[in-house]
Amino acid sequence: MRIFTGVKPSGHLQIGNYFGAIKPALELQNQGEGIYFIADYHALTTVHNAADFRSYIEEVQLGWLACGLDPKRSIFFRQSAVPEVNELAWLLSIITPMGLLERCHAYKDALANGFAPSHGLFAYPVLMAADILLYQADIVPVGKDQKQHVEVTRDLAIKFNEKFGNVFHIPQPRISEEAATIIGIDGRKMSKSYDNTLQLFGDDKVFKKRVMGIKTDSTPIEAPKPVEGSTLVELFKLVATPEELAAYKVDMQKGGKGYGDYKKLLLEKLQNYFAPIRQRYSELKAHPDDVRDIMADGAKRARAIADQTLQAARHAVGLA
Ligand code: TYM
């Protein structure tokens, strides 16, 4: 079983990326062949500042490794280190119906968030399909917001196989139930575009301020606090044991404490949970040469797989 997924370095890593994709994807490392990558070509659709871009790439690189990616067991690489993906994207483009792309939520959301409707944004799902199909993935662990893109990938693979012969595996999205959509500090989906994220790495003071700034209702101190749909409870759930979660909820329902107390408890849990990952991140950051070697080795191994698929696709359409 080949597991394949990626994160785009279009901003700082946030805990939605971690719980929605990185953690569930790395948990599968022992059950099959893991291939994890940094979707830098994709990030270029929205990041147009080279210095920022380089720093986001470094953060995502170190982040995956700090979160437990084992580069000996798994393949880890940067999308742009295997530029063959662009050729496959073209071969898929020629059979991609416009209507399929027009229906994609992520494209519509990007426009709603003020991005100019570029060809890159529009064709984004085709490049994503090329990623997944180039590496003949079986399972693609993603958050719910990427499910539609994996469905587009399946449609394109089936269409290509029917038209030109059997080249691609048909991949399955894998969406972790408890982490399909991680909510942000304002109760909406955690997303950079809503400015409601909690960063995985970065300034501790900012992290604290944002946790203490989580939006709550105006229930008075003495009154019981609602736990259904509470952002605090939803976030606490991610880092607590079932017993701790039950105690947190019972306490909230008793009343007598303000939301500030529950925010402090949540902050402490989050900080403890991420402490070892943050520690590893700092250690890796101090050894850039080791990280460079890991990425170079990953690119070589990824390329060997990519070459095979691309040759088969080129042959199927008659280019080779
Ligand atoms: P990206 O970089 O936006 O997000 C990376 C992963 O994190 C998940 N995620 C979330 N999950 C739950 N709750 C949230 N609030 C949340 N925010 C983000 C995303 O669902 C995703 O799984 N298009 C992809 C990158 C990509 C890719 C691929 C992924 C390019 N090619 C091939 C898989 C396979 C993206 O923008 O992810």
Side-chain angles (χ1 to χ4, degrees):
M1 177 177 79
R2 189 171 280 165
I3 302 119
F4 180 88
T5 199
V7 172
K8 103 189 144 190
S10 54
H12 296 289
L13 276 180
Q14 36 102 350
I15 72 168
N17 298 136
Y18 176 77
F19 289 108
I22 298 178
K23 180 171 176 265
L26 291 179
E27 277 165 3
L28 293 170
Q29 255 183 138
N30 300 332
Q31 291 172 37
E33 184 190 6
I35 308 185
Y36 307 106
F37 83 112
I38 297 172
D40 50 6
Y41 284 139
H42 278 107
L44 275 175
T45 55
T46 55
V47 184
H48 293 165
N49 175 307
D52 286 351
F53 187 39
R54 287 190 192 97
S55 77
Y56 298 150
I57 292 170
E58 188 200 15
E59 181 173 327
V60 179
Q61 236 164 235
L62 298 176
W64 271 102
L65 294 167
C67 290
L69 191 156
D70 175 356
K72 291 203 183 72
R73 185 189 293 265
S74 305
I75 297 180
F76 184 38
F77 72 104
R78 253 168 80 173
Q79 186 181 31
S80 61
V82 189
E84 286 84 350
V85 72
N86 293 304
E87 183 170 351
L88 185 58
W90 182 252
L91 297 186
L92 295 172
S93 265
I94 58 168
I95 54 147
T96 305
M98 294 287 285
L100 189 66
L101 299 182
E102 274 156 3
R103 283 194 294 278
C104 285
H105 309 304
Y107 176 66
K108 292 191 238 172
D109 288 351
L111 300 199
N113 284 315
F115 289 106
S118 68
H119 174 252
L121 269 182
F122 188 64
Y124 184 112
V126 184
L127 182 59
M128 180 156 162
D131 289 324
I132 298 170
L133 301 177
L134 192 57
Y135 298 98
Q136 304 283 13
D138 297 304
I139 304 276
V140 186
V142 282
K144 203 168 143 200
D145 61 342
Q146 294 297 317
K147 183 168 180 249
Q148 191 186 32
H149 286 161
V150 183
E151 279 159 4
V152 167
T153 303
R154 288 169 58 86
D155 285 356
L156 296 183
I158 291 167
K159 202 161 173 186
F160 188 101
N161 284 351
E162 275 172 9
K163 211 171 170 75
F164 297 113
N166 220 359
V167 172
F168 301 119
H169 280 312
I170 311 299
Q172 290 281 353
R174 170 83 60 94
I175 295 158
S176 139
E177 236 171 71
E178 71 277 16
T181 304
I182 305 300
I183 53 172
I185 59 172
D186 61 355
R188 292 186 290 171
K189 183 190 108 170
M190 187 175 288
S191 163
K192 238 180 350 289
S193 33
Y194 297 147
D195 188 23
N196 65 355
T197 61
L198 290 173
Q199 283 182 28
L200 201 46
F201 307 107
D203 192 280
D204 199 47
K205 276 202 207 96
V206 175
F207 189 83
K208 187 171 170 191
K209 201 165 153 213
R210 288 178 76 92
V211 173
M212 295 312 288
I214 287 174
K215 210 161 132 191
T216 46
D217 60 26
S218 51
T219 312
I221 292 194
E222 53 298 345
K225 313 284 174 296
V227 293
E228 257 340 287
S230 154
T231 305
L232 293 176
V233 171
E234 286 304 307
L235 292 172
F236 198 80
K237 201 183 272 174
L238 298 168
V239 286
T241 62
E243 297 74 35
E244 288 166 337
L245 176 65
Y248 191 73
K249 289 209 258 185
V250 167
D251 203 49
M252 276 178 89
Q253 284 167 322
K254 269 203 265 180
K257 281 190 203 159
Y259 278 119
D261 291 324
Y262 298 106
K263 290 180 186 176
K264 276 192 205 139
L265 277 174
L266 171 65
L267 175 66
E268 198 182 301
K269 273 263 141 227
L270 284 166
Q271 281 172 326
N272 287 343
Y273 184 94
F274 288 117
I277 295 178
R278 288 172 173 166
Q279 170 70 27
R280 272 200 300 278
Y281 184 90
S282 308
E283 287 161 13
L284 286 159
K285 200 173 165 127
H287 295 95
D289 290 350
D290 293 354
V291 177
R292 213 169 298 130
D293 289 350
I294 290 172
M295 300 314 295
D297 176 62
K300 208 164 93 194
R301 287 154 69 204
R303 202 162 202 167
I305 301 172
D307 272 347
Q308 275 190 8
T309 312
L310 188 61
Q311 284 324 313
R314 292 181 114 243
H315 182 76
V317 298
L319 279 172

